[in-house]
Amino acid sequence: MESESAGQVDHRIAQLVAYAEQAGLTAPEDRVWAVNAILETLRRDAHESVFTDGTGVGLATILDALVDDAASRGLLDGASVVSRDLFDTAVMGRLTPPPREVRARFGHLRETSAVAATDWFYRFSQDTNYIRRDRMAKDVHWRAETPYGLLDISINLAKPEKDPRAIAAARDLPASGYPPCLLCAENEGYAGRLNHPARQNHRLVPVTIDASPWFLQYSPYVYYPEHCIVFNAAHTPMRIDRACFGKLLDFVDQFPHYFVGSNADLPIVGGSILSHDHFQGGHYEFAMERAPVEHAVTFGGFEDVRAGIVRWPMSVLRLTCPDAGRLVTLADRILGAWRGYTDPDAFVFAETGGQPHNTITPIARRRGDAFELDLVLRNNITTDEHPLGVYHPHAELHHIKKENIGLIEVMGLAVLPARLKAELAAVADRLVAGLDLDADAVTAPHAAWARGFAAEVTPVNAGAVIEREVGQVFATVLEHAGVYGWDARGRSAFVRFVEAAGGLG
């Protein structure tokens, strides 16, 4: 890459300082300090003052130019995306206000409005480039009509795939126990390394949930609007229990415009980080929230709680009540019943070989003045036929979705791998051209699936047909992940569990 001249670099530095002022990261009286902080990171010892108001230039453009200059002078550890991210995060970290200022601002806004506080913090997390707006804009989104309503489909490109060179370099690094994990508070301000992302521009705000200290942050990859992560101040494993239900409901009491949920606490049906207790939430209405209760039930002693089986491909009990404490108590009863529940006729086993299988993915929200909990029954049993999980996407769907079905997918948003953007485009091109899908390594994995709708495809509708069919695959993925099917046998088996948990339907 060609390095910019010293004058051009000076201009980029001036643009970045102007951007920081406009975003409220720095003030005009910080201008000289900000220039010198950037010079230090760039390892330049001189600067020609240049005036610019910074308008019309995107942050990504400015940072790319500065990173290119640094790379041309040998300051980067390689040329991978990982190395570039480490460097430009170091630059932005010099312009990011310290934690005490961020927390004070959030707390001040929250005294007036929880919405104002989260609006500001979400925008701030983008302004610092912790959430990279330019990468968010590359994500692919659509909605697909299915028997369960409109499902959200996304191909997420904001999380960069690691370059093989970066993977190889990271493999040779010595193991480090700091920060203890990707969620821990020790990440705030951390410089990062090839096998751990830089976080100099990352800030946390403290929240007290059910009388215990937690932190709130936003996901850098933003799978949906205001995608936040709420995590325990202590590095402690995830656990679905009575206390978890209480924390979820307390959070939506404090932030009623957000939903919040927890991944399950067992492998296969849980999230990617089971070692640190955390939730995910945000300001978004998922398809599951819109799904109606199809089969009302009543739990003895909890006649004040509206309950029922939700019309959803996964197995969901919905509880609604103005009294959050009542929901906690009933949810705990249902969890206890499910943890120990076995029904061989429905292929539900509480444990095999000493390994527990049953758990719950819980989601909390406000429904008007009431509190609401969706309890999604999960089971992680495996068999020779389904080694990745019986209640997991089956092999014939792996060309679209092979990964675990976590909280976000459970609620109706498919997070599909980045490879699909190119693969699905290639499928469309070959179908339109009448070419053999099996003859191309990129399209061959999708050939059997695509033959089912190939006759419908024209040059005009190819993209729309493929998007529709991907939506149907995702609906089937969720059906596979559901413990009980929607046929008569599945409904009967679900009701048997409800009765075992003290319910009547």
Side-chain angles (χ1 to χ4, degrees), residues 100-421:
R100 66 179 181 276
E101 293 182 12
V102 175
R103 297 176 186 189
R105 178 72 182 276
F106 182 85
H108 175 72
L109 290 169
R110 192 178 167 196
E111 289 176 359
T112 303
S113 165
V115 174
T118 56
D119 282 353
W120 171 79
F121 189 39
Y122 184 55
R123 185 174 62 253
F124 170 86
S125 298
Q126 295 173 71
D127 289 342
T128 64
N129 210 41
Y130 170 69
I131 297 173
R132 295 173 181 260
R133 289 187 176 105
D134 59 311
R135 291 183 184 165
M136 286 173 56
K138 297 176 183 177
D139 291 346
V140 180
H141 300 277
W142 71 91
R143 283 184 164 184
E145 186 63 64
T146 74
Y148 307 100
L150 282 172
L151 299 184
D152 291 301
I153 313 296
S154 72
I155 299 176
N156 190 274
L157 304 172
K159 186 175 184 177
E161 295 190 46
K162 287 191 175 180
D163 184 295
R165 294 168 296 180
I167 295 172
R171 180 192 59 206
D172 297 331
L173 292 175
S176 172
Y178 187 87
C181 79
L182 287 167
L183 290 179
C184 283
E186 288 87 344
N187 283 279
E188 188 175 39
Y190 185 62
R193 51 186 189 268
L194 288 176
N195 59 357
H196 193 104
R199 291 291 183 253
Q200 293 102 317
N201 57 350
H202 175 42
R203 296 294 180 263
L204 312 170
V205 293
V207 291
T208 300
I209 305 178
D210 204 22
S212 61
W214 285 55
F215 288 102
L216 170 68
Q217 67 171 69
Y218 288 99
S219 167
Y221 308 120
V222 194
Y223 293 144
Y224 51 85
E226 297 183 52
H227 179 182
C228 70
I229 299 172
V230 191
F231 65 94
N232 200 315
H235 182 76
T236 186
M238 292 191 66
R239 175 72 179 166
I240 304 299
D241 56 13
R242 180 187 180 95
C244 171
F245 300 138
K247 290 180 175 72
L248 292 172
L249 290 166
D250 187 38
F251 182 84
V252 297
D253 187 30
Q254 297 181 53
F255 298 91
H257 58 302
Y258 274 12
F259 81 89
V260 71
S262 175
N263 269 304
D265 54 358
L266 293 178
I268 296 176
V269 296
S272 59
I273 301 177
L274 296 177
S275 61
H276 196 135
D277 197 13
H278 71 284
F279 307 143
Q280 295 182 78
H283 196 183
Y284 190 65
E285 182 186 72
F286 286 85
M288 191 172 80
E289 182 179 348
R290 298 190 296 270
V293 168
E294 175 124 328
H295 185 111
V297 299
T298 302
F299 287 90
F302 291 89
E303 289 76 12
D304 55 325
V305 177
R306 286 187 287 118
I309 296 171
V310 179
R311 173 66 184 175
W312 191 245
M314 298 189 69
S315 306
V316 185
L317 278 170
R318 178 168 293 162
L319 312 177
T320 309
C321 184
D323 186 339
R326 296 286 286 164
L327 292 187
V328 170
T329 302
L330 178 53
D332 187 48
R333 180 209 279 188
I334 294 169
L335 173 66
W338 181 243
R339 291 276 195 198
Y341 186 72
T342 291
D343 181 353
D345 289 342
F347 205 76
V348 173
F349 297 92
E351 60 89 21
T352 57
Q355 294 297 314
H357 296 306
N358 291 347
T359 185
I360 280 176
T361 298
I363 301 103
R365 66 182 72 91
R366 298 299 298 269
R367 182 81 73 170
D369 293 332
F371 293 89
E372 190 164 270
L373 267 179
D374 281 351
L375 305 178
V376 187
L377 307 182
R378 310 299 303 274
N379 180 288
N380 75 346
I381 195 168
T382 61
T383 63
D384 290 341
E385 182 183 3
H386 300 295
L388 298 182
V390 172
Y391 306 109
H392 177 89
H394 294 174
E396 67 270 20
L397 306 181
H398 288 178
H399 65 107
I400 297 293
K401 180 69 176 178
K402 183 178 181 179
E403 299 79 12
N404 292 351
I405 303 305
L407 171 69
I408 295 170
E409 285 93 355
V410 163
M411 295 185 293
L413 192 161
V415 181
L416 302 180
R419 62 175 172 82
L420 284 178
K421 182 176 181 180

